[in-house]
Every structure is written in structure tokens, then in C-alpha cells.
Amino acid sequence: MNDISPLPAGNDAGPVLNVSRRGFLGTSLSALVLAVAVPLAPRRAMAAAAASPAAVTPGTRVQAFLEIRPDSTVLFHSAFVEGGQGIFTAMAQIVGEELDIDPARFTVEVAPPGADYLLIGGMRFTGGSMSVRMSYQAMRTLGASARQMLLQVAAERLQVPVADLKTEPGQVIHPASGRVIPYGELATAAAALPLPEKVALRSREDFRWIGKPVARLDVLDKSTGKVRYAIDQVVEDMLYAAVQHSPRLGGEPGALANEAEVKAMPGVHSVHRLPGAVAVVADSWWRARRAVETLQVSWNEPAAGTPQAMPATFSSEAHRTRLKQAPGPDLAFEEQGNVTKGLKQAKKIVEAVYDAPHLAHGQMEPPSSLARWNADGTVELWLPNQAPEMFQGAAAKVAGVPPEKVIIHSPMLGGFFGRHFLYASASPFPQAILLAKAVGRPVKVLWSREEEFLRDAVRPMGVARFRAGLDAHGRPVALHGVAVGEGPAGRWFGRKPDKVDSTAVEGIAGKVYDIPHRRVGHIHVDDPAVIGFWRSVGHSMNDFFYECFFDEMADAGKHDPYELRRELLKNSPRHRTLLEAVAELAGGWRRGPYTADDGSQRARGVAMASPFGSEVATMAEVSLKDGVVVVHTVWVAIDPGSIVNPAVIEAQVRSAVALGLSATLLEQVVYVDGMPQARNYDLYPILPPDRMPEVKVRIVESGAPMGGIGEPGLPGVPPAVVNALAALTGHRVRSLPLSKAVLGKA
């Protein structure tokens, strides 16, 4: 059951008839779906097409993505999942731009599993700030291809050359005669045409919607309660299940002391043992939860060799010490010059060790999964996920059926942050499959908040060691940075002993400061916890480590940290421009301490980050009130190269600032005796509204290759805040969160 590793792309299965959405599939999964009237393709043919993904070039088949309806509105099947990041709107803008239909006329839904949607290097997942930048060209070409097909049909109908026609939003126009044909009247015939071999894309200066703050497509339905998340799904004859997990991962249920008593509780249908858990199935989730929490379970310790079993002796404090004391040498990831020689020749040596804790995802939507076994042998699942094909393959293994027998529904996510990736033991879908089979009815499993905190895949704990050499003028000439710990990519995609997992060092590696001798290395130490991807992944802590140490180098060399950054970016004009842009946005650089208009003593900090193909400069202004850090303003200048929707970018930066600040000030998962101490928000505080600062954003569109948006706004926040705090107090904090530091009055 725990063997739920992602399947290779070649094993991805395609769409299967969804009983509950038959009417939708009758039009949108047909062989040609530009028109609503095309009949349903045989399921056998669909399965055959899905079984041979080599015959499909992902992102090219108009029929797999677009349905133009008779009223000239569009149903678009997105390869990516909407979870608040605005991807549905971005897809409508990109495709609508080339198709020449207003994005407001789009309805967007997540596409079912299938080879057409493997747009991320032969895989499909929504994450890593890759959705738009990895599909931008393909989706533009897709829209342009569909427009060309419509023009061809119109030309045949009007008996004129295609060159004599043009389009306006949603219609083809013949300017010479004034004749107009709506797209909806052309779609059926256009669907029968082969894809054009080559299409022209719009010039940037002709864009109607790309680059504009188009209104979000999902806001109205969210605001009016029409969106149905996984937690809201209901099917006929459904039962509910609640679970109680082993307190430590790897434990198995033993004796149930009061099973008969629990079975007799109101609404209880049955009691079940599951791998690592017990479950109660009932006619309502509240009754199931009350019953499972009443159940008295004796938990057996893991058998020897149990994969990912949590040791009873594991603690956060001991693991942090282990990371700090882990012996070298480090495995090099990035080298320039000769760092050993540079350090020997330096006039002054600066050293520091930083650390950051495990972090929970803390999403508002609790994990849930609904499973139904259908009479035709298919298994139907409604579950929050970032990778439909991966979950389809994993569910097939649990169910013991071929992947094409698993129907995956991917509802809108109630939060993202890397929580809905495919982690062993961190999702309830295997439990839902097993319970639905056991009771012979659909079952929805919903984890309580306490079970979610117990089984979340946390951000790994990390440590970084730095040693730098300064020349006679106090400028850094050599820097050796070593990350210690484990990266999530290596955990879930495989790690080679002679290769460094980039997610363990990103944010320490990849810096563009002009330091002649530098080396970034890694010492791998297994993290006993189930670790996962967290918003901005390794950058979330590594930029904190590096950018704070940069300020330490500046202080040791008696340089202003902002000016030293400007100097060391003289050969990187894109980054220097961005640094100057954030200073201008903030009304100029002021390190402090200085007295604000309200009489408080304040200071500012600055940081740079280069996450996910984008460049970011961040400034923060802080003060202290009764020993508690107050963040007044955060300024962010972001250069994603080129943009699709500036309003979405600004919203994403603001949300990233909030999450980054929450992690800086408050968040940490603390393990004692192999168990997380926080099982709800009472012991895992997140940033409250009254501590959210003003956030000001400037978008600098340099024209560089398109970068990501969802995650880049976060990494600069922790170092900017901590650097400001150091300037304010004269005390350098090297361990997060700040809530555990003893801070005096400024």
C-alpha cells in the first residue's frame, strides 16, 4: 500500500468513462471536440489511444483541450490543477489570445489522465512554478491552430481565400463583404480538419489579453460557494469514514479493547483495520469521527525493516544536533575558482552555521478522498492532487487493477504549497479505495485536523555551514557553503550517491554575486520524517541561510549590505537593476536603526533570490514591541522575464510574503519521541491577520525567458526580515522561527 511511487510516463493511462459525469464526457472526450454535437468515441478506442502515449505529442491535439460550443463559449481542459494560483485564468488568457476569444468566455476544468497532458518533461504535475512557463508556447500554438482550423472552414463556406479573412473575438469576419460567422457555427466542421502543420503567432504588440490584468475566472464561483472541493463531493449511497493513525509512522493496530461498544454507537456501519491505522465507517462523518476517537487501540511497534518507520527516539533537537555535527567532506554541487586557495589568501575569515526547522503545510482544506467501485470494474476517485497520472498509477496498485481502470477526478484545491503531491502515507486515497471495496459502497475518507498534522509530509529540517574569506578591503573573495540534510526531490524521484539533490542546495547555489572563489556542497543526512515539497522548496530556507550570511560578510568587512550587493552585481545588470528597483519602491535604502514617524525604532533588511527562473529583490522594515518582531512593510521587486497576468503575479507575491513571514516568525514542527507535538493550530500558530504587513510589489519585465510566479515571492522574506532585525538589535539570529529567540527592546 505504501508503494505509491510515480509511474514512468510510458505507463500513463488515458481517460475512461466517468459514470457520474456522463453528459459532460459525451461531448468533451470525443475524438473531435471542437463542436458540442460530435458523438462519444468508443471507450475501447479511447483506452487504446491512451495506452500508446508515444503516438501523441503532448499539448498539440486541439481536440484533447478545446470544445467550442454553439454559443461560441469555450470549455478548456487544463493540464494543470487550480489551487488558488490563477492557472485557469492564465490558460484562458494564453489560449484565448491566439484563438481570439475573450478569456471571460472560457470555462476551465482539469483534464483527465492522458498522454496529451504530459507537458512537464514527459510528466504532468502542477508545481515548481512551472505550469505557465513550461506550457506557454505549446498553449499559444494550440490556440492558433484552432483559430486556423476555424478560418479554413469559414473560407470554404464563403468561397474566399483564408488570407481575405480575419477574426475578432469569437467570430470570423470577411471585411470585403462585411459577412460575420460566429465560431460556434464553424466548430463542427473545423473539428473534422487535420491540425495545421504550421501557424503564425500574434506579435506581442497585438496582444489583447496576455500581459493584462484579466479578472480571475474562479473568483465568482468561490465567492458564491459554487466551487466544489474534494471535501464537498457527494455520490449516491455514500458512507463516511474517519481514521485514527498510529502515533508513530510504521506502527500497526493490535487489539481493539472496545470494538463492540464502538460498533453499537449511533450511525456506525463497521470498524476496520488498515495499514498503520484504524477506521470507522458511518452514515455521517461526525459520527464516524466520534466513534474512531472512542476506539481504544493497542499499537504494535514496527517490525524490523519497516520502510520509513519513525524511531521512537527521534526528536527535532537531536536531529538538529546531528545535522550540525555531520562530518564531511561535502559533495560539490557548484565550484568556481579555487576556494581553498582563496580562503588561505584571505585577510579575514567569517564563519557561521544556520538552521531551519521542519514545517507543516498547514492547509485549510483537510485531506479527503472519495472512492467508488463501479459495476464495470473501474475504480472512481475524487481526490485533491497535483498530478493526476501519478495518482492514477498509484491508485491502480492499491486497487489491484490496470491504470486505465482508475478514473481520477481532480477538483479545485483548497490550498497548494506542495501538499498534494504523491507522498506515501500522507494521503487518504488508499484508505478510501480499501474501505469502499470492503463495504461495497462508495466511501469518503476525511482526515481530522489532528490526523492531518500527524501524517503531513513536512518540509525537511536543514542546516547550512558557511566559511568566507575577505580581502584587505573587506570584500568577499572566497565562500564555501555546505548544505546538510535531505532534499525532497531525492526522496521521491530517487537519489544517486554521487550526485547532489538540487532541492537540497538551491538558494545557496546559483548566486550571481561576483565572488571569485566559491564552492557549494552538500552532506546528505537522511531525515527520519516523511518529507515533502513546501512552497519554494529548498529556496524557502537556503536563501535565508545565504542572504543572512551575506550580511554577516558585509558587517565583518565594514560594508553596507545593500551597497555591497550592488557592487558584487556589477557584472549582472538584470539583478542590479532589480535591487535598485526595490530600493526605489521603498523610497530609498535606509538600513537603520532610525526613528519612524510613530516614534518607534526601525531598521530595514534586504535580500536577493533567484528561484524557479525568476529574479526577486526583497526589503523589509521591522521594529520590536515588547520583545516581539513587528514587520511593518515588505517591498518586493520581481522579474519573471515576461508575464501573462500582472494582477495574478501581484496576488501570488502577496500570498508568498504571508507564508514566508509566517514561517519566519512562528512556524515549526517539533518532534519528541518520534511524534509531532502540534496536532492542531493551537500548538502550530500561523501568521494572524493583525501581524500581516503592508506589501508593495513592482513587476520588472526584463524580457528574459519566462520564469515562475507561485513560489519566487517567498524566499527573500525570511532573510530580509532577519537582516533588518540584526540591524535593529545588533544581534544575529541564525535559527528560525524568531518566536523561539529571546529579543530585547530595540
Side-chain angles (χ1 to χ4, degrees):
M1 182 173 172
N2 286 332
D3 183 16
I4 56 173
S5 302
L7 290 180
N11 289 337
D12 290 311
V16 182
L17 180 63
N18 172 347
V19 176
S20 68
R21 298 172 75 185
R22 189 181 303 271
F24 161 71
L25 289 169
T27 58
S28 66
L29 288 182
S30 54
L32 299 168
V33 293
L34 277 175
V36 73
V38 179
L40 178 67
R43 294 172 61 189
R44 200 176 310 167
M46 291 165 56
S52 56
V56 174
T57 301
T60 61
R61 289 201 312 129
V62 172
Q63 296 89 338
F65 288 85
L66 280 170
E67 175 187 329
I68 299 178
R69 295 156 165 167
D71 63 355
S72 297
T73 59
V74 177
L75 174 62
F76 180 75
H77 305 292
S78 171
F80 307 107
V81 184
E82 177 65 66
Q85 82 279 37
I87 190 63
F88 281 3
T89 306
M91 289 293 107
Q93 285 182 256
I94 297 166
V95 176
E97 185 68 69
E98 299 294 347
L99 179 57
D100 204 0
I101 292 186
D102 190 330
R105 295 182 65 78
F106 274 65
T107 298
V108 185
E109 297 183 355
V110 180
D116 286 287
Y117 312 109
L118 308 180
L119 293 169
I120 309 294
M123 301 176 67
R124 176 191 185 189
F125 57 89
T126 308
S129 295
M130 287 193 283
S131 299
V132 169
R133 60 183 171 132
M134 295 291 281
S135 67
Y136 180 70
Q137 199 68 18
M139 292 298 98
R140 286 186 65 191
T141 303
L142 185 88
S145 297
R147 176 176 174 272
Q148 185 65 26
M149 293 159 75
L150 293 163
L151 284 168
Q152 286 179 246
V153 172
E156 292 173 5
R157 180 179 296 187
L158 299 173
Q159 294 295 296
V160 298
V162 170
D164 289 353
L165 300 174
K166 70 172 188 175
T167 62
E168 291 293 336
Q171 55 190 10
V172 176
I173 298 173
H174 183 229
S177 66
R179 285 176 290 183
V180 176
I181 308 176
Y183 281 179
E185 295 182 16
L186 302 168
T188 299
L193 297 178
L195 293 177
E197 291 186 5
K198 190 175 182 180
V199 292
L201 302 181
R202 285 185 184 272
S203 299
R204 184 180 178 86
E205 57 268 20
D206 295 329
F207 283 171
R208 299 179 190 266
W209 297 292
I210 292 178
K212 308 298 193 301
V214 171
R216 289 276 293 266
L217 301 185
D218 53 335
V219 168
L220 179 61
D221 283 354
K222 285 179 176 178
S223 302
T224 55
K226 292 180 180 178
V227 171
R228 296 186 66 79
Y229 299 96
I231 195 175
D232 301 317
Q233 303 300 319
V234 176
V235 298
E236 187 178 355
D237 200 32
M238 184 180 81
L239 291 169
Y240 298 82
V243 298
Q244 181 187 156
H245 290 101
S246 169
R248 286 191 298 274
L249 189 63
E252 296 294 342
L256 308 180
N258 60 340
E259 184 173 2
E261 173 192 342
V262 169
K263 285 181 176 179
M265 292 178 69
V268 169
H269 176 278
S270 49
V271 176
H272 302 264
R273 286 176 170 81
L274 296 168
V278 292
V280 172
V281 176
D283 60 4
S284 77
W285 185 75
W286 179 245
R287 285 176 164 177
R289 179 182 176 180
R290 285 177 61 92
V292 82
E293 291 178 348
T294 301
L295 200 59
Q296 298 171 11
V297 187
S298 296
W299 295 100
N300 297 326
E301 288 297 313
T306 300
Q308 297 183 334
M310 174 63 82
T313 57
F314 177 70
S315 72
S316 297
E317 183 177 355
H319 188 56
R320 184 179 296 107
T321 300
R322 181 186 177 205
L323 294 178
K324 288 185 174 182
Q325 296 177 352
D330 58 294
L331 182 62
F333 180 82
E334 179 181 88
E335 281 190 287
Q336 179 170 313
N338 187 324
V339 76
T340 301
K341 181 180 178 181
L343 288 170
K344 283 183 179 180
Q345 295 177 345
K347 300 301 181 182
K348 187 173 186 178
I349 297 296
V350 185
E351 295 180 292
V353 178
Y354 283 79
D355 68 82
H358 291 108
L359 292 179
H361 289 94
Q363 60 180 22
M364 290 303 293
E365 178 189 18
S368 67
S369 294
L370 169 58
R372 177 172 68 191
W373 290 77
N374 295 320
D376 62 359
T378 59
V379 181
E380 200 163 1
L381 287 170
W382 292 257
L383 75 162
N385 74 89
Q386 295 177 234
E389 285 78 10
M390 292 183 187
F391 277 80
Q392 182 187 49
K397 291 182 179 181
V398 175
V401 301
E404 62 268 21
K405 289 285 190 179
V406 178
I407 303 167
I408 296 287
H409 302 275
S410 303
M412 192 174 290
L413 299 176
F416 229 106
F417 324 127
R419 176 61 182 89
H420 299 294
F421 192 70
L422 186 60
Y423 308 117
S425 73
S427 173
F429 78 88
Q431 298 170 344
I433 292 170
L434 296 176
L435 291 171
K437 186 172 185 178
V439 304
R441 292 170 61 181
V443 174
K444 179 162 73 174
V445 179
L446 172 64
W447 286 0
S448 67
R449 188 69 66 192
E450 289 74 16
E451 299 305 314
E452 154 69 344
F453 270 94
L454 184 64
R455 284 292 178 266
D456 190 10
V458 296
R459 187 190 74 172
M461 180 182 286
V463 162
R465 307 170 186 166
F466 293 101
R467 192 163 190 257
L470 310 183
D471 65 14
H473 302 286
R475 296 179 181 85
V477 292
L479 189 150
H480 186 189
V482 181
V484 187
E486 183 179 4
R491 171 72 66 95
W492 297 112
F493 291 102
R495 183 182 70 87
K496 297 180 179 179
D498 60 338
K499 300 289 184 182
V500 175
D501 177 356
S502 63
T503 59
V505 296
E506 58 188 5
I508 300 175
K511 293 292 186 179
V512 297
Y513 299 119
D514 189 11
I515 300 175
H517 306 286
R518 57 182 184 267
R519 172 187 170 107
V520 175
H522 180 235
I523 298 173
H524 177 88
V525 178
D526 285 334
D527 197 315
V530 175
I531 61 171
F533 300 94
W534 196 87
R535 192 171 185 176
S536 75
V537 199
H539 285 279
S540 66
M541 53 182 167
N542 288 333
D543 280 294
F544 158 66
F545 300 154
Y546 188 105
E547 290 292 310
C548 284
F549 184 69
F550 188 103
D551 271 36
E552 292 204 55
M553 292 190 297
D555 289 342
K558 302 188 184 308
H559 288 279
D560 177 89
Y562 172 81
E563 293 300 338
L564 183 61
R565 283 179 172 85
R566 285 188 71 250
E567 181 180 344
L568 297 185
L569 293 174
K570 61 180 179 293
N571 295 322
S572 301
R574 181 185 181 191
H575 299 83
R576 184 165 175 163
T577 296
L578 198 62
L579 181 65
E580 293 170 347
V582 80
E584 182 182 358
L585 181 65
W589 165 246
R590 301 172 65 191
R591 192 182 189 198
Y594 52 86
T595 303
D597 292 342
D598 64 358
S600 63
Q601 286 292 103
R602 300 186 184 183
R604 291 182 180 180
V606 63
M608 301 288 290
S610 302
F612 304 95
S614 291
E615 302 296 337
V616 185
T618 307
M619 282 190 184
E621 183 179 66
V622 309
S623 68
L624 280 177
K625 183 177 182 180
D626 300 325
V628 176
V629 178
V630 178
V631 182
H632 298 277
T633 308
V634 174
W635 298 272
V636 180
I638 181 169
D639 175 7
S642 57
I643 69 174
V644 172
N645 189 320
V648 169
I649 292 174
E650 184 167 340
Q652 282 293 288
V653 169
R654 291 177 183 276
S655 71
V657 168
L659 193 55
L661 191 57
S662 186
T664 304
L665 299 178
L666 299 167
E667 295 185 37
Q668 61 175 330
V669 174
V670 177
Y671 287 92
V672 176
D673 298 330
M675 296 176 287
Q677 297 303 286
R679 298 288 297 274
N680 211 318
Y681 291 110
D682 55 344
L683 295 180
Y684 192 87
I686 60 174
L687 188 73
D690 62 357
R691 295 190 70 177
M692 182 65 191
E694 180 182 22
V695 179
K696 296 184 178 181
V697 181
R698 175 171 293 178
I699 301 169
V700 179
E701 195 172 2
S702 65
M706 181 178 287
I709 290 301
E711 297 167 284
L714 189 149
V717 175
V721 170
V722 175
N723 284 337
L725 183 65
L728 183 67
T729 65
H731 173 67
R732 173 62 60 178
V733 177
R734 299 190 181 100
S735 181
L736 294 180
L738 294 177
S739 58
K740 67 182 183 181
V742 178
L743 303 170
K745 294 184 178 180

